[in-house]
Amino acid sequence: MESLACLNGELMPVDEARIPIWDRGFLFGDAVYEVMRIYQGRCWLEEAHLGRLQRSLASMEFPAVDLTELVDRTNRTIDASGVLEGTAYLHITRGVAPRAHAFPDSSVPPTELIVIRNYDDAQPARNRESGVATLSHPDLRWKRCDVKSTNLLANVMAHEVAHRAGCFEAILVGQDGLVTEATHSSVLWVRDGRLEGTPEGNGILPGTTRQFLIKAAGAAGLPFADAQLSLDDLKQADEVLLVGTTIEVFPVIRIDDAPIGGGQPGSVTRRLQTIFREAVERWLAPQPV
Ligand SMILES: Cc1ncc(COP(=O)(O)O)c(C=O)c1O
């Protein structure tokens, strides 16, 4: 099977899943979500994703969701789908109620959608090898980018500009002239052998891949430091990379017209790719009893 949905606890083919027009996710984008990578039928960094989902829900004052049951439903959907290499999309909205800005009555249950899909890693694998071109774009998003909300219009618009220019991603630059992140991935860079990135806060999504890599790189003797860079300074960095759940680690070889690292993936990025891959392999390896 290529994909399978679980809508409010009920397994169904994706094409048969239906959301009522009064769903607040549809009307207001009143919803939060997560995307996990499934390797060999198991969700990578599951705890980190669920922790972030819980923070997103709490920040937006959603009713509490039982995460253990959500994990159970996710795993049941993965098993029923038969997907081994894929993604798990979790989407929770504030539920269905006639359109009004005020939150619905507390008796209104959230809408919960889980979609399990196959993921074809062939093109991403090529991008990991060759590196990708990017375009800079103003960061026009709201001021709570730490919440993984489905309100992605500013991300979509910026990404489309990059896409039409033949680029993989748009690197977003805030009103203060400082780089934040990309439309659906985190941006890291290397200067003088040190891994750096924009500090966590309201301006960026706390990326699970970014957090994982920062920790793993530190353990491998590659320290990380928070830094705030203008676009011009980023273009002068020794290496720039994009990291995220499905892409893992992509070298950036161009921003606008500026080649990065001479237009070739750099050695620290290569090391981070190896660190990431080896960690996944270790996690997948059968545990000795
Ligand atoms: C805006 C943004 N930043 C960063 C990321 C990377 O986060 P993660 O590593 O948890 O996939 C994403 C992923 O969708 C994103 O949408």
Side-chain angles (χ1 to χ4, degrees):
M1 211 179 289
E2 287 289 303
S3 60
L4 188 65
C6 178
L7 180 59
N8 296 322
E10 197 187 327
L11 292 177
M12 61 188 75
V14 167
D15 292 346
E16 288 176 19
R18 297 278 180 273
I19 305 284
I21 59 156
W22 289 141
D23 193 284
R24 292 180 63 97
F26 174 67
L27 293 172
F28 296 115
D30 191 356
V32 297
Y33 77 110
E34 280 296 324
V35 182
M36 292 187 276
R37 178 73 163 87
I38 300 167
Y39 296 107
Q40 295 184 20
R42 291 168 58 201
C43 290
W44 167 245
L45 301 182
E46 180 181 276
E47 221 178 284
H49 283 283
L50 291 169
R52 186 170 64 188
L53 181 64
Q54 198 160 38
R55 285 193 300 280
S56 296
L57 289 164
S59 301
M60 297 298 109
E61 300 180 36
F62 271 66
V65 167
D66 187 323
L67 292 184
T68 312
E69 288 180 9
L70 177 60
V71 169
D72 273 1
R73 283 190 289 276
T74 305
N75 286 331
R76 256 195 301 125
T77 315
I78 294 173
D79 288 347
S81 74
V83 166
L84 291 177
E85 295 300 313
T87 55
Y89 177 79
L90 315 182
H91 181 138
I92 298 175
T93 86
R94 207 184 299 274
V96 181
R99 189 181 185 281
H101 283 59
F103 288 1
D105 190 87
S106 60
S107 62
V108 171
T111 301
E112 179 197 283
L113 173 68
I114 302 167
V115 177
I116 307 301
R117 275 212 286 179
N118 262 332
Y119 180 68
D120 181 357
D121 195 51
Q123 184 57 47
R126 286 192 284 276
N127 290 346
R128 271 172 224 128
E129 262 325 288
S130 61
V132 293
T134 61
L135 198 73
S136 63
H137 193 278
D139 189 344
L140 301 175
R141 300 174 301 163
W142 72 330
K143 297 185 175 70
R144 288 303 308 274
C145 298
D146 55 317
V147 173
K148 199 163 169 69
S149 140
T150 61
N151 282 276
L152 292 170
L153 197 49
N155 307 53
V156 166
M157 297 305 287
H159 183 266
E160 185 60 20
V161 176
H163 181 66
R164 287 181 189 170
C167 293
F168 173 77
E169 252 287 28
I171 292 185
L172 303 174
V173 183
Q175 272 193 329
D176 54 6
L178 301 172
V179 170
T180 53
E181 58 181 335
T183 68
H184 59 298
S185 52
S186 308
V187 179
L188 296 172
W189 57 87
V190 180
R191 291 191 302 173
D192 300 325
R194 198 176 54 213
L195 185 63
E196 296 181 341
T198 304
E200 283 192 7
N202 293 354
I204 65 167
L205 184 77
T208 56
T209 317
R210 174 190 140 114
Q211 289 175 338
F212 173 80
L213 274 169
I214 288 172
K215 208 164 154 201
L222 181 61
F224 170 84
D226 284 332
Q228 295 197 287
L229 248 55
S230 68
L231 180 62
D232 282 346
D233 285 343
L234 185 68
K235 290 178 180 174
Q236 299 300 319
D238 301 320
E239 300 179 34
V240 177
L241 47 146
L242 299 173
V243 306
T245 292
T246 51
I247 65 172
E248 301 174 2
V249 181
F250 277 11
V252 172
I253 54 170
R254 186 160 62 78
I255 303 175
D256 302 331
D257 289 329
I260 306 297
Q264 295 295 325
S267 60
V268 176
T269 305
R270 289 289 185 230
R271 213 172 134 205
L272 288 168
Q273 288 178 325
T274 305
I275 287 171
F276 185 90
R277 242 318 90 206
E278 287 180 353
V280 174
E281 307 281 321
R282 267 198 308 278
W283 173 74
L284 288 172
Q287 298 302 309
V289 272

